[in-house]
Amino acid sequence: MKTATEPSIANLITSTNIPESLVRAVVSQMGGWKSFEESARDICHHGIDGGFHGFLYYSDTIRFTKRNRKAIIEMASEQARDFGIGLVEMIKGFNCLKGATETEIVEGLAGSTTETQVPNGLAWYAGEEVARAYCNMMDGF
């Protein structure tokens, strides 16, 4: 039986300013809460590009970004404001997007691109941010 202090998706949602829909989407993409919990710490320490369920193949990450574009942009915009930089500048700094041009990033954010690098990077960013929120929440438990 769960207690109020056990980690749960509800606790994760209330512990972060990441849009609820994005938290739920990442957890679902990873195969559910148990699978997400098993992977979150590894993602926090090593990044999501090491190969995690739902974030391995372009077909999965691009579809994820298309379905969650608005929430990803909302989270990224808030984070860029917090850092005092522009959204495109922040995204251009992602390790997985080092070679991307500003035009490619803008097109990726708008969903008007056929290339895979930016949508994949945005999906990885969402996954890593939700995993980081989980790790921060667990540090408080």
Side-chain angles (χ1 to χ4, degrees), residues 31-44:
W33 181 251
K34 183 177 177 173
S35 178
F36 171 77
E37 275 193 303
E38 291 170 355
S39 300
R41 287 226 182 261
D42 284 337
I43 293 169
C44 287

Side-chain angles (χ1 to χ4, degrees), residues 55-64 116-117 119-121 124:
F55 291 89
L56 283 169
Y57 304 105
Y58 286 135
S59 58
D60 294 331
T61 58
I62 291 168
R63 187 171 44 249
F64 178 87
T116 57
Q117 184 182 12
N120 184 69
W124 283 358

Side-chain angles (χ1 to χ4, degrees), residues 72-134:
I72 292 169
I73 292 171
E74 178 184 334
M75 176 180 66
S77 295
E78 184 176 320
Q79 197 172 59
R81 273 192 306 278
D82 290 347
F83 293 155
I85 59 176
L87 176 61
V88 173
E89 179 184 359
M90 184 184 84
I91 292 171
K92 192 169 171 55
F94 292 177
N95 284 334
C96 63
L97 298 178
K98 289 290 187 199
T101 66
E102 286 187 14
T103 300
E104 289 170 332
I105 292 169
V106 169
E107 289 174 353
L109 287 167
S112 61
T113 185
T114 58
E115 69 91 26
T116 57
Q117 184 182 12
V118 173
N120 184 69
L122 293 173
W124 283 358
Y125 163 68
E128 287 183 356
E129 288 301 309
V130 174
R132 188 173 294 110
Y134 172 84

